[in-house]
């Protein structure tokens, strides 16, 4: 019943103009490098076959899509992990939003998540990766021009799927926290202190009371020290308060209405405090919950936004109207836009931007550098799809 309802969800598209705009053009391995000037601001799609683009064969397993300028040319590249190949792939950003294969790097078995930051303060972006069966943090220091030095790994002692960066000991250097979910009894997070030269200390574990699903860093009590939030499979968010000296102190857990899949900290009401969004995709029907944070660091009652089997969430101004929207991917095979409204509320019905295979990774950025937000996702095992200039898609 739920699947049928979701497949029929395209009727929610607000107008025939929007429907026509979102229809895919003939599939090509890559779009033209320089489209006509009228295309620079119109709503249009582009498709890439990742096997053709990279020259790889067999199962790829794309995950963890990020848009960052790692070449230093002012255009953003797309970085993604190929879980089944153990590779980091870098796609060079070209004029008008096109992409071409730049290079790839081995990053250990089953890579799951990545972060892009300058961890050695040399002006070049670096890449940090965790992998489930790699049991390690892999660091690739940038050399400029989109190239990286040989990867260096740091043992985590457990299967790791997520990471986040912050300065936990106030020495001016970025540190890394990972969430690790191996076999029962080996659930934890680990903290690795950065030395400022691109190297890190040994991983220090902190046990979690149940299976960790996701990880976020935020200053909950506004003391200037980053804290760690971990969504658990026991309907809770575990909290560790940063002590400012490179250690974490457990605090009271935050109860949840259902088991979580993802957690996101983002200001929902413009008060300058990061609020807590939680993706509940393990229940039927699925939904996204929002809990507003008070000045004392506590959270108010949750608000619910129904979504079909949600998996990943972005809270960004996607349509360019100055209000943050919800961009959601679902395991049912959709990318949905729920438009933000004045006062912090959202449109009652989402717009279906994509229907097909499960979108395994999701990103949003101005990829063609024209001032309008674009959306990118990987679908199934081989497809990278982009929707350019979402605000020009006839969204009412």
């Amino acid at each position: 019943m739920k699947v049928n309802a979701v497949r029929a969800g395209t009727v929610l598209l607000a107008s025939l103009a929007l429907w026509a705009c979102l229809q895919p053009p003939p599939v090509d391995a890559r779009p033209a490098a320089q489209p006509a000037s009228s295309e620079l601001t119109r709503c249009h799609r582009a498709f890439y076959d990742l096997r053709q683009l990279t020259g790889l064969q067999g199962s790829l397993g794309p995950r963890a899509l990020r848009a960052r300028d790692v070449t230093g040319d002012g255009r953003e590249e797309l970085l993604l992990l190929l879980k089944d190949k153990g590779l980091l792939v870098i796609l060079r950003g070209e004029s008008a939003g096109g992409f071409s294969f730049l290079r790839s790097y081995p990053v250990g078995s089953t890579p799951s998540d990545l972060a892009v930051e300058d961890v050695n303060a040399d002006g070049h972006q670096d890449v940090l990766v965790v992998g489930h069966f790699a049991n390690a943090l892999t660091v690739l220091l940038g050399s400029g021009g989109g190239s990286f030095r040989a990867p260096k790994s740091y043992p985590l002692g457990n299967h790791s799927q997520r990471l986040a960066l912050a300065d936990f000991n106030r020495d001016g250097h970025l540190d890394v926290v990972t969430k690790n979910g191996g076999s029962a009894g080996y659930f934890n997070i680990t903290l690795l202190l950065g030395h400022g030269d691109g190297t890190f200390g040994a991983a220090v574990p902190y046990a979690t009371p149940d299976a960790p699903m996701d990880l976020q860093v935020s200053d909950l009590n506004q003391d200037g020290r980053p804290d760690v939030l971990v969504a658990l499979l026991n309907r809770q968010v575990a909290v560790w308060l940063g002590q400012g000296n490179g250690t974490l102190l457990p605090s009271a857990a935050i109860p949840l209405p259902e088991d979580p899949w993802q957690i996101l900290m983002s200001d929902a009401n413009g008060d300058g405090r990061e609020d807590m969004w939680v993706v509940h995709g393990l229940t039927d029907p699925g939904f996204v919950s929002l809990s507003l944070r008070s000045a004392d660091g506590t959270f108010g009652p949750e608000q619910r936004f129904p979504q079909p089997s949600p998996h990943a969430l972005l809270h960004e101004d996607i349509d360019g109207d100055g209000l943050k929207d919800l961009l959601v991917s679902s395991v049912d095979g959709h990318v949905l836009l729920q438009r933000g409204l004045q006062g912090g509320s959202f449109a009652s019905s989402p717009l279906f931007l994509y229907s097909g295979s499960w979108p395994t990774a999701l990103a949003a950025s101005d990829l063609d550098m024209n001032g309008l937000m674009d959306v990118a996702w990987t679908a199934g095992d081989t497809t990278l799809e982009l929707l350019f200039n979402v605000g020009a898609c006839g969204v009412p």
Side-chain angles (χ1 to χ4, degrees):
M1 185 72 178
K2 182 183 73 169
V3 173
N4 292 336
V6 171
R7 288 175 177 166
T10 49
V11 301
L12 295 174
L13 292 172
S15 67
L16 290 177
L18 176 59
W19 169 251
C21 175
L22 293 179
Q23 291 310 290
V27 175
D28 195 353
R30 66 181 70 180
Q34 190 67 47
S37 59
S38 62
E39 291 190 356
L40 295 179
T41 57
R42 76 173 180 85
C43 172
H44 64 284
R45 289 180 184 266
F47 295 83
Y48 293 86
D49 184 314
L50 290 173
R51 289 185 182 139
Q52 293 183 26
L53 200 61
T54 63
L56 297 170
Q57 299 300 316
S59 180
L60 302 183
R63 296 289 189 275
L65 188 64
R66 302 287 186 271
R68 295 293 294 270
D69 178 12
V70 297
T71 60
D73 65 356
R75 294 190 179 99
E76 289 188 328
E77 279 68 52
L78 287 176
L79 296 86
L80 72 155
L81 300 173
L82 299 183
K83 174 181 65 68
D84 297 339
K85 298 296 185 184
L87 292 176
L88 164 70
V89 169
I90 303 172
L91 305 178
R92 182 192 294 275
E94 299 175 343
S95 60
F99 290 91
S100 62
F101 175 71
L102 181 59
R103 54 180 58 93
S104 64
Y105 292 89
V107 288
S109 177
T110 57
S112 305
D113 194 20
L114 68 89
V116 184
E117 295 289 348
D118 182 3
V119 296
N120 60 351
D122 65 351
H124 302 309
Q125 294 295 308
D126 310 308
V127 178
L128 300 89
V129 178
V130 292
H132 183 78
F133 288 116
N135 301 326
L137 167 71
T138 300
V139 179
L140 300 92
L141 298 179
S143 302
S147 63
F148 294 84
R149 304 179 205 172
K152 180 176 176 56
S153 294
Y154 298 84
L156 297 176
N158 202 349
H159 302 313
S160 184
Q161 303 89 19
R162 295 283 287 178
L163 80 163
L165 278 69
D167 182 4
F168 286 96
N169 58 352
R170 296 189 291 183
D171 63 354
H173 307 316
L174 286 172
D175 311 308
V176 180
V177 60
T178 71
K179 80 93 178 169
N180 317 297
S183 303
Y186 294 94
F187 301 143
N188 64 21
I189 61 173
T190 51
L191 180 61
L192 300 88
L193 298 181
H195 299 148
D197 58 358
T199 64
F200 293 86
V204 177
Y206 294 82
T208 63
D210 210 305
M213 298 298 291
D214 199 14
L215 170 80
Q216 285 278 281
V217 172
S218 182
D219 183 6
L220 287 182
N221 52 3
Q222 297 184 302
D223 62 356
R225 304 165 182 172
D227 309 309
V228 179
L229 299 91
V230 181
L232 301 176
L233 203 56
N234 64 353
R235 300 187 179 183
Q236 287 186 332
V237 174
V239 175
W240 282 266
L241 298 179
Q243 302 303 293
N245 59 1
T247 64
L248 303 172
L249 185 67
S251 184
I254 303 168
L256 296 175
E258 298 287 348
D259 287 330
W261 200 322
Q262 181 195 1
I263 181 173
L264 175 68
M265 301 301 294
S266 180
D267 185 1
N269 57 359
D271 64 358
R273 295 187 289 269
E274 290 186 326
D275 306 302
M276 185 173 68
W277 301 85
V278 182
V279 175
H280 299 276
L282 300 174
T283 184
D284 188 7
F287 63 97
V288 172
S289 68
L290 167 64
S291 298
L292 299 178
R293 189 170 69 180
S294 303
D296 61 1
T298 61
F299 291 90
E302 57 116 14
Q303 307 170 44
R304 292 194 181 193
F305 304 93
Q307 299 285 348
S309 302
H311 175 256
L313 170 71
L314 296 177
H315 183 225
E316 305 281 351
D317 180 10
I318 303 297
D319 57 10
D321 64 356
L323 302 172
K324 284 188 175 182
D325 312 302
L326 297 181
L327 186 69
V328 182
S329 66
S330 76
V331 294
D332 282 350
H334 303 283
V335 176
L336 308 98
L337 175 66
Q338 196 150 5
R339 298 184 60 239
L341 305 176
Q342 293 288 346
S345 61
F346 294 87
S348 58
S349 298
L351 301 172
F352 285 67
L353 303 183
Y354 164 81
S355 294
S357 300
W358 171 34
T360 56
L362 184 66
S365 188
D366 181 8
L367 298 173
D368 52 5
M369 300 176 62
N370 67 351
L372 299 175
M373 188 70 82
D374 313 307
V375 177
W377 59 89
T378 54
D381 190 56
T382 62
T383 302
L384 169 65
E385 187 166 343
L386 302 98
L387 178 61
F388 288 97
N389 311 320
V390 177
C393 288
V395 178

